[in-house]
Amino acid sequence: MLLHASSSLYISLHSSRTHSSLGLLSHERPLLPSAIISCSFQPKRLENTIWASRTSSILNTFTAKAASVEAGASAVSNGKAESDVLTALSQIIDPDFGTDIVSCGFVKDLDINEALGEVSFRLELTTPACPIKDMFEQQANEVVEKLAWVKNVKVTMSAQPARPMYAGQLPKGLQTISNIVAVSSCKGGVGKSTVAVNLAYTLAGMGARVGIFDADVYGPSLPTMVSPENRLLEMNPEKRTIIPTEYMGVKLVSFGFAGQGRAIMRGPMVSGVIDQLLTTTEWGELDYLVIDMPPGTGDIQLTLCQVVPLTAAVIVTTPQKLAFIDVAKGVRMFSKLKVPCVAVVENMCHFDADGKRYYPFGRGSGSQVVQQFGIPHLFDLPIRPALSASGDSGVPEVVADPQGEVARTFQELGVCIVQQCAKIRQQVSTAVTYDKSIKVIRVKVPDSDEEFLLHPATVRRNDRSAQSVDEWTGEQKLQYTDVPEDIEPEEIRPMGNYAVSITWPDGFSQIAPYDQLQTIERLVDVPQPTAAKV
């Protein structure tokens, strides 16, 4: 393997000429052409009387009107049937979003045959690892079957296609990854890699498409903790992209699979290697990419957080006071980078012997992190020889003993990650929206109950990019009169957890961080909705 530290950095990997990447194409079902009814009439016999002809005409007119009335009644009936089904399904509430599955947009491909009493539809959830998908399916069957005219219900479960939360230009390898979760400790030796690997295989066991990226170049753990058949990364020579190796359906990338194990190099070079490994890998469609972060809060960690649109972070600690001090620095780093920390895992907490529970390293580090920083969930892992042994054997503990106590804890952590990532994506997607009825921008920053309104022209005038403000002198280049008072945004898209991208009619794309939007002058007198034109 060759490393070149020049204007660009390349990793030479084992190439595979026979490799061809699989592109998953999504095609909409083509619409069927409208039915065309052709009627052919035979010539009237000459002996038919004028009276017979008129009678036939009257009968035909009557028949046509009757058919029209019947078709109209059928349309009304079908409309009522659809309304009945959707009303029934709206009784099912998603506990994560706090609203019904119809309002969430989960109900797709609704098909009703009222004459036969048949109803079919698809529930498209946010992730295939949804922990309550079976409950949704059961409830959907039950509520629709209660309708008096329904005899048969067919429910199909599916998940939304993988797509990032980030609106900007992402490296191609990251464009089909829904959620990227960082597992961090900011201190070595606390079991961070153990948590990252077991979390990844727990999510895979829940039905998700998962990948693991081992970001520790100095001491990669992944090659020890898993045993893929192919232990070398390959490169697609045509695309110059990296093909990840796999173990039990989970895609794996680590510097340890690059041929030389551990690296001896300076920080900037390490950052380049990590960037290349992560962004040029053909990850394909993933629901979750778990990143095993290296310990510390230096250049490498900042590079990862800035290059990759992290959805959330999991903090791993141990009961000692010293571990809390190091973890606190990491939590503050994620906070500044607008990455929400959603769970704390306190490893090596206790062990049971002689009917008693012992805490050899003290207690309280994990709960202190939760209380001081407001992180919502805390998970305890015991001192368990099997957990340590599984990390050295190449088989994760949740795979080796899927019914054990450790696996149950990781199952709870996996459910937490799925739910929190879904909440974050929902909050981000609705944080900043444009209300056309009153021509205002609505803002509700994630983790805040406050909603406020902004005038579109005010938002546009407060752009702080180089096109609007001189970077050297601070002189305002965009003048007040340059922005029409009635300007309206064409599109608003989220950019990770910290900002939105607003496209204006002149083609300008404005990056508006939440922090900046909170400082802009707000509308006090809310405009009345514009009257609909008749």
Side-chain angles (χ1 to χ4, degrees):
M1 189 190 74
L2 302 176
L3 290 174
H4 301 285
S6 58
S7 58
S8 59
L9 187 64
Y10 299 100
I11 293 182
S12 176
L13 303 171
H14 179 67
S15 65
S16 171
R17 295 183 180 179
T18 59
H19 170 76
S20 61
S21 59
L22 298 178
L24 299 181
L25 302 179
S26 175
H27 296 288
E28 297 291 335
R29 188 189 310 172
L31 297 175
L32 296 176
S34 302
I36 301 175
I37 303 175
S38 60
C39 301
S40 59
F41 297 93
Q42 297 296 329
K44 298 287 182 182
R45 293 178 63 88
L46 294 176
E47 61 267 19
N48 283 351
T49 61
I50 297 176
W51 177 85
S53 178
R54 288 179 178 176
T55 302
S56 176
S57 176
I58 293 171
L59 287 173
N60 286 338
T61 302
F62 177 79
T63 303
K65 288 183 177 180
S68 175
V69 171
E70 183 178 353
S74 176
V76 171
S77 177
N78 284 337
K80 185 179 185 306
E82 181 176 334
S83 176
D84 289 344
V85 172
L86 293 177
T87 300
L89 291 172
S90 64
Q91 301 175 57
I92 305 173
I93 305 298
D94 186 303
D96 296 330
F97 301 152
T99 187
D100 65 272
I101 62 174
V102 177
S103 300
C104 289
F106 292 169
V107 181
K108 307 287 186 181
D109 302 334
L110 178 58
D111 187 25
I112 298 172
N113 188 327
E114 192 175 2
L116 299 177
E118 295 179 348
V119 178
S120 66
F121 53 89
R122 177 169 57 91
L123 293 183
E124 184 183 72
L125 305 181
T126 56
T127 170
C130 177
I132 54 175
K133 56 187 173 186
D134 293 336
M135 184 191 76
F136 277 152
E137 184 176 4
Q138 179 184 347
Q139 289 182 344
N141 271 294
E142 291 175 353
V143 297
V144 177
E145 282 178 348
K146 288 181 181 179
L147 296 175
W149 54 272
V150 174
K151 297 178 182 177
N152 184 34
V153 181
K154 182 181 178 182
V155 183
T156 304
M157 306 300 293
S158 68
Q160 294 175 0
R163 60 179 184 272
M165 193 165 55
Y166 188 77
Q169 292 297 318
L170 286 174
K172 192 172 182 180
L174 304 179
Q175 289 177 3
T176 53
I177 300 176
S178 291
N179 304 283
I180 302 179
V181 180
V183 178
S184 175
S185 66
C186 305
K187 177 180 175 61
V190 301
K192 166 183 54 60
S193 296
T194 298
V195 171
V197 170
N198 281 278
L199 171 61
Y201 280 91
T202 297
L203 292 169
M206 295 169 66
R209 297 162 294 184
V210 183
I212 306 175
F213 178 68
D214 183 359
D216 193 347
V217 171
Y218 294 122
S221 304
L222 200 57
T224 304
M225 303 191 72
V226 294
S227 305
E229 183 177 344
N230 183 6
R231 299 187 64 83
L232 280 177
L233 296 174
E234 296 180 351
M235 175 170 280
N236 184 328
E238 296 178 358
K239 298 181 180 178
R240 299 192 64 79
T241 54
I242 298 169
I243 306 163
T245 187
E246 286 192 25
Y247 177 64
M248 299 189 69
V250 175
K251 296 183 178 180
L252 313 169
V253 171
S254 169
F255 190 74
F257 293 135
Q260 289 189 351
R262 304 181 181 201
I264 300 175
M265 59 182 79
R266 295 186 181 275
M269 194 173 180
V270 173
S271 297
V273 170
I274 289 176
D275 188 358
Q276 182 184 355
L277 282 172
L278 179 60
T279 60
T280 63
T281 293
E282 294 181 10
W283 291 107
E285 289 201 358
L286 294 182
D287 299 297
Y288 302 93
L289 175 62
V290 177
I291 297 184
D292 182 4
M293 299 280 286
T297 54
D299 287 343
I300 301 171
Q301 291 76 15
L302 289 172
T303 298
L304 273 168
C305 292
Q306 291 171 341
V307 169
V308 181
L310 295 175
T311 309
V314 176
I315 304 298
V316 183
T317 185
T318 50
Q320 299 97 322
K321 183 178 180 180
L322 186 60
F324 168 77
I325 294 173
D326 289 328
V327 164
K329 292 189 294 183
V331 174
R332 293 191 184 99
M333 176 190 74
F334 284 121
S335 177
K336 287 184 178 180
L337 295 170
K338 306 301 181 185
V339 178
C341 296
V342 296
V344 173
V345 178
E346 190 173 30
N347 194 21
M348 297 180 281
C349 285
H350 54 76
F351 67 90
D352 297 332
D354 303 326
K356 294 182 180 180
R357 177 157 289 184
Y358 297 89
Y359 296 85
F361 302 117
R363 304 175 67 174
S365 171
S367 58
Q368 191 176 356
V369 174
V370 169
Q371 293 170 4
Q372 182 164 333
F373 296 102
I375 300 174
H377 301 95
L378 173 64
F379 300 90
D380 297 338
L381 286 175
I383 299 174
R384 186 66 58 88
L387 181 58
S388 176
S390 67
D392 296 333
S393 68
V395 181
E397 174 69 6
V398 297
V399 175
D401 185 13
Q403 303 301 322
E405 178 187 357
V406 171
R408 287 196 297 271
T409 301
F410 275 107
Q411 183 73 22
E412 294 173 1
L413 175 61
V415 170
C416 168
I417 296 303
V418 169
Q419 293 176 335
Q420 292 300 313
C421 285
K423 281 184 181 180
I424 291 168
R425 292 179 66 88
Q426 178 72 6
Q427 290 173 346
V428 167
S429 65
T430 58
V432 182
T433 57
Y434 182 61
D435 190 332
K436 290 185 177 181
S437 65
I438 54 178
K439 296 186 177 181
V440 300
I441 294 176
R442 293 185 177 273
V443 181
K444 186 176 182 181
V445 177
D447 296 326
S448 172
D449 294 330
E450 179 191 20
E451 182 184 70
F452 54 91
L453 307 180
L454 300 176
H455 194 280
T458 304
V459 174
R460 179 68 179 86
R461 289 166 182 149
N462 276 271
D463 175 56
R464 306 303 297 169
S465 70
Q467 288 184 263
S468 302
V469 180
D470 190 292
E471 292 179 296
W472 297 102
T473 65
E475 180 185 355
Q476 187 75 33
K477 296 195 296 186
L478 179 70
Q479 300 302 314
Y480 187 94
T481 54
D482 293 340
V483 179
E485 197 66 25
D486 60 350
I487 192 172
E488 296 184 59
E490 290 188 342
E491 185 181 20
I492 299 179
R493 298 181 298 165
M495 291 192 67
N497 301 315
Y498 70 97
V500 290
S501 170
I502 306 176
T503 303
W504 299 99
D506 59 0
F508 178 70
S509 182
Q510 177 182 357
I511 307 301
Y514 297 148
D515 290 346
Q516 182 190 1
L517 292 175
Q518 289 176 303
T519 64
I520 295 178
E521 182 182 359
R522 305 178 182 183
L523 285 172
V524 178
D525 297 326
V526 181
Q528 294 298 316
T530 55
K533 296 181 180 180
V534 180

